[in-house]
């Protein structure tokens, strides 16, 4: 089993994935947590956990090599994402 699957045990999803909790639990051994909207108004709203994902994708979009699927293997693509996030974290410390 890969390193990252041992650490991540909860998957956050929006209401479109309602009812798939058992399937995720049975196949992957993870728990599915549905993130509900805080307000009932229609239109754009920032969902609590989705904002973290969108912000991270925005940071990764600044890396030219990650804007397209240049890598042939998923391992090298995962390594590039980890390197990009490490550089972003180190820049925040400096």
């Amino acid at each position: 089993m890969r390193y990252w699957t041992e650490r991540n045990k909860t998957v956050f999803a929006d209401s479109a994935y309602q009812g798939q909790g058992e399937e995720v639990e049975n196949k992957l051994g993870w728990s599915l947590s549905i993130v509900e909207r805080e307000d009932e108004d229609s239109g754009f709203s920032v969902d609590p956990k989705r904002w973290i994902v969108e912000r991270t994708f925005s940071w990764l979009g600044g890396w030219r090599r990650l804007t397209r699927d240049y890598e042939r293997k998923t391992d090298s693509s995962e390594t590039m994402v980890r390197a990009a996030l490490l550089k972003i974290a180190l820049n925040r410390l400096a």
Side-chain angles (χ1 to χ4, degrees), residues 1-8 74-76 78-79 82:
M1 186 172 269
R2 298 181 61 97
Y3 172 74
W4 62 275
T5 57
E6 293 175 9
R7 292 187 58 193
N8 297 330
T74 57
D75 289 342
S76 58
E78 180 181 347
T79 302
R82 289 179 183 269

Side-chain angles (χ1 to χ4, degrees), residues 14-80:
D14 61 5
S15 59
Y17 295 95
Q18 192 83 30
Q20 294 184 357
E22 289 184 25
E23 185 177 349
V24 171
E25 179 71 33
N26 292 338
K27 289 187 177 182
L28 302 174
W30 297 342
S31 65
L32 181 66
S33 177
I34 303 297
V35 178
E36 300 292 332
R37 290 182 67 150
E38 292 180 354
D39 58 352
E40 297 299 323
D41 298 333
S42 64
F44 177 77
S45 69
V46 178
D47 295 336
K49 294 293 180 182
R50 182 181 288 174
W51 182 251
I52 296 170
V53 174
E54 296 296 331
R55 180 187 63 202
T56 305
F57 285 159
S58 173
W59 288 338
L60 293 175
W63 290 74
R64 190 176 134 264
R65 192 165 174 178
L66 295 176
T67 57
R68 302 195 192 257
D69 292 330
Y70 292 119
E71 313 300 329
R72 291 185 182 200
K73 297 183 179 182
T74 57
D75 289 342
S76 58
S77 180
E78 180 181 347
T79 302
M80 290 305 300

